Amino acid sequence: MNGSHALTDLEDPLWVKLPTGRYPIYVGYGLLEKPQCFEATLKGKKVFILSHPEIARIYLPSLEKTCYAAGATEVSHALVPSGDYHKTLETAANIWSALLAQGYHRDSVLITLGGGMINDLGGFCAACYLRGIKVIHCPTTLLAQVDAAIGGKTGVNHVLGKNLIGAFHQPQTVVADLSTLSTLPQREFISGLAELIKYGLTLDPPFFNWLESHIIEIMQRQPDALNHAVKQACQLKAAIVASDEKEEGQQRIVLNFGHTVAHALESILDYKQCLHGEAVAIGMIVAIRLSMEHNTVDGQLLERVMSLLKTAGLPTTLPPGITPAEILAKMKYDKKHGATKLNWVLLKALGQAFTTHATASHVIQALTATRVGTP
Ligand SMILES: NC(=O)c1ccc[n+]([C@@H]2O[C@H](COP(=O)([O-])OP(=O)(O)OC[C@H]3O[C@@H](n4cnc5c(N)ncnc54)[C@H](O)[C@@H]3O)[C@@H](O)[C@H]2O)c1
């Protein structure tokens, strides 16, 4: 049997279990062509698909066909340019205008087809349109499949920082079709590896060990390795979301490991030069150095993580020309910080994260150690 068919689990999806209900995450190959993944939500519904031109060219025709096969009465779409630079309130307003002009009502369904950018933007549009319509995410990047599409965080960027305007809005279903990763540019694929590594580091030591020994197979996009990695990450994310849906407790915040620096970097670089996962990789190194200053982890873990990130082709030093002071100034706009203190997710040990405050001087020290050429 073709390995990829064996890896399509329509009967046995993963579930995100919330107090208000549960929703499935389908992970497998060829899922955009399977009406079974969609029919529970689409039967008798008017559907609006949001995507990017380059993704729509490859995947939109089959998804549209699948929507009709799943019982949709009408399917139309809008395409927005790629790039986080376009994840703005202005783009959202254009989408709302298109929905209104085409008579989409409260019973309609929005489907996102793309990476984390389109999942965030489309999720946000769905959350606000007529005070909320249903959304299905079809993530097409590794990063979105293991992270952005799960858990209901939606939003857009503001000139003062990333994801500062948003809402929680859970999807009805997540359809992570691993076949779509075959067209994902290598740099984007590698960016998603940072989030996989983050799950291992913060939540699951055996998964971290497994990643260390299977990183090459994953990078070669071998179906068995990819299927295992994505499912494991989705399971970890689903469990965290179930335990702390709106990041009100301490559980979900753990997933922000590495993101304090990452968001600042992305914002400084105008969301153009540094991919999210690349920024997260650098942010994780800074967070481990800060953890070392708290005497919770040692240099050996830093070495292991540096080595894994480097093998994966991810950066481990700050981009040249960016100063620690600049990053510190930008962090003040991070949602996770209080009015005066800098909140950080650090490591207590491999697989155990905790939140704490860090002084500006410790942060500067950890950032300085992460500059190019620092041993
Ligand atoms: N909501 C959350 O919980 C959450 C979590 C993590 C990240 N995010 C957000 O996700 C975004 C980053 O997402 P991303 O890394 O997926 O990047 P992305 O959505 O910007 O996509 C990256 C690029 O890959 C292209 N692409 C996507 N899928 C493709 C495919 N299958 N084949 C060919 N090209 C393809 C896109 O057109 C784009 O050019 C950021 O906005 C970040 O803030 C959100």
Side-chain angles (χ1 to χ4, degrees), residues 7 27-31 145 176-182 223 226-227 230:
L7 298 171
V27 178
Y29 286 81
L31 298 182
Q145 293 185 349
D177 186 341
L178 300 174
S179 320
T180 60
L181 300 182
S182 64
L226 207 46
N227 191 53
V230 173

Side-chain angles (χ1 to χ4, degrees), residues 22-24 37-38 40-42 45-51 95 99 105-129 131-139 148-155 167-175:
R22 61 176 199 164
Y23 61 87
C37 298
F38 298 89
T41 310
L42 297 196
K45 299 290 170 16
K46 192 166 161 172
V47 174
F48 186 85
I49 302 173
L50 185 67
S51 191
I95 294 161
L99 287 165
H105 42 77
R106 293 200 70 180
D107 207 23
S108 303
V109 181
L110 194 149
I111 297 181
T112 68
L113 174 68
M117 183 279 195
I118 213 82
N119 298 162
D120 275 9
L121 176 68
F124 179 66
C125 288
C128 300
Y129 186 69
R131 297 205 181 89
I133 61 170
K134 289 179 176 165
V135 64
I136 292 177
H137 293 311
C138 298
I150 306 164
K153 273 193 191 176
T154 75
F168 280 95
H169 188 58
Q170 298 291 347
Q172 299 300 302
T173 304
V174 177
V175 183

Side-chain angles (χ1 to χ4, degrees), residues 29-38 59 62-63 65-66 69 175 177 179:
Y29 286 81
L31 298 182
L32 292 182
E33 287 157 19
K34 306 278 186 212
Q36 300 96 303
C37 298
F38 298 89
Y59 302 109
S62 67
L63 180 58
K65 224 168 111 189
T66 305
V175 183
D177 186 341
S179 320

Side-chain angles (χ1 to χ4, degrees), residues 52 54-55 58-59 82-84 87 114-118 120 140-144 147-150 152-154 157 162-163 180-185 188 191 195 237 252 259 263 266 275-277:
H52 299 303
E54 54 274 52
I55 296 175
I58 316 172
Y59 302 109
S82 288
D84 232 69
K87 200 176 90 176
M117 183 279 195
I118 213 82
D120 275 9
T140 61
T141 64
L142 180 58
L143 184 137
D147 191 8
I150 306 164
K153 273 193 191 176
T154 75
N157 302 324
K162 202 171 151 57
N163 297 333
T180 60
L181 300 182
S182 64
T183 54
L184 189 64
E188 295 291 348
S191 170
E195 298 285 356
K237 173 105 192 217
R252 189 162 178 175
H259 284 59
H263 286 168
E266 288 180 276
L275 299 184
H276 182 67

